[in-house]
């Protein structure tokens, strides 16, 4: 099936009982189609659903509770329609591709603004010359931006350790045309 929205338009219930998914876009697709999903309470899926309002969260691996939840939904069309509407409203406001793209561009705009205001000497001093070697002039490592926005955040050091040392986001001259 290569037309997911059409398939979801025919569905009454969407279930994602995965044990290892983080924030699968398929849950968002169901929400955008007006279906309140039933998800397992693992990883990032509970962040995508407000239990009883925009979907339901069941404990991972609890087949009996999942079956009970599905029976309740099959027996209550009004509940499915109401929560499906609420799920669509939430997803359109926070998870649509347009909203996510604008969020990504907003981070780039902020990073470009931070980078434009920092001279090369200050950057070398703050982040070390070893992180600048082999990069396009003006490019920056995402960990540098994160550390600049949230000093002391542990995630910046994790990113620096996990991403290749030469990994960078292009300079402002490359990114600015994408923002217009």
């Amino acid at each position: 099936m290569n037309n997911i929205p059409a398939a979801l338009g025919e569905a009454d219930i969407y279930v994602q009982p995965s044990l290892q998914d983080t924030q699968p876009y398929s849950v968002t697709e169901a929400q955008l189609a007006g279906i309140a999903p039933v998800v397992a309470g693992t990883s990032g899926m509970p962040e995508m659903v407000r239990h009883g309002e925009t979907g339901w969260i069941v404990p991972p691996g609890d087949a009996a509770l999942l079956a009970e939840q599905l029976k309740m939904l099959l027996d209550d069309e009004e509940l499915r329609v109401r929560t499906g509407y609420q799920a669509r409203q939430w997803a359109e406001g926070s998870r649509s591709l347009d909203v996510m793209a604008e969020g990504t561009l907003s981070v780039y705009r902020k990073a470009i603004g931070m980078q434009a205001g920092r001279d090369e000497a200050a950057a070398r001093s703050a982040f070390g010359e070893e992180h600048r070697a082999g990069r396009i002039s003006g490019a920056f490592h995402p960990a540098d931006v994160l550390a600049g926005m949230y000093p002391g955040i542990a995630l910046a050091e994790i990113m620096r350790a996990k991403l290749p040392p030469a990994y960078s986001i292009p300079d402002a001259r490359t990114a600015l045309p994408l923002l217009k």
Side-chain angles (χ1 to χ4, degrees):
M1 165 68 59
N2 58 1
N3 190 343
I4 300 302
L8 288 169
E10 298 297 318
D12 291 321
I13 298 173
Y14 179 82
V15 184
Q16 184 83 26
S18 303
L19 300 178
Q20 295 185 22
D21 275 329
T22 51
Q23 291 192 347
Y25 191 68
S26 57
V27 171
T28 299
E29 288 177 309
Q31 292 168 321
L32 290 170
I35 302 170
V38 179
V39 301
T42 59
S43 301
M45 285 195 288
E47 296 169 19
M48 303 176 76
V49 173
R50 286 181 277 184
H51 185 77
E53 186 179 336
T54 64
W56 291 270
I57 303 167
V58 296
D62 191 336
L65 189 57
L66 177 61
E68 186 180 308
Q69 183 67 60
L70 293 175
K71 180 174 180 349
M72 179 188 75
L73 292 172
L74 288 170
D75 292 343
D76 192 339
E77 181 178 3
E78 187 277 326
L79 177 64
R80 288 193 320 267
V81 170
R82 180 174 31 85
T83 54
Y85 174 80
Q86 293 168 177
R88 175 183 282 148
Q89 296 302 307
W90 180 82
E92 286 174 348
S94 61
R95 301 286 297 188
S96 71
L97 288 177
D98 289 340
V99 169
M100 290 189 290
E102 183 53 41
T104 300
L105 288 175
S106 174
V107 169
Y108 279 117
R109 286 183 191 108
K110 189 171 185 175
I112 289 166
M114 289 175 65
Q115 192 65 24
R118 182 184 301 140
D119 66 18
E120 192 64 29
R124 274 196 296 279
S125 169
F127 305 119
E129 185 61 37
E130 67 275 9
H131 296 294
R132 298 260 163 232
R135 296 221 192 117
I136 298 170
S137 175
F140 50 91
H141 194 283
D144 297 345
V145 175
L146 191 60
M149 290 177 5
Y150 306 101
I153 189 168
L155 182 56
E157 290 310 312
I158 293 169
M159 287 173 68
R160 199 175 319 283
K162 298 287 184 180
L163 292 171
Y167 183 85
S168 67
I169 295 174
D171 67 350
R173 290 167 303 189
T174 305
L176 282 174
L178 300 173
L179 302 176
K180 294 180 180 178

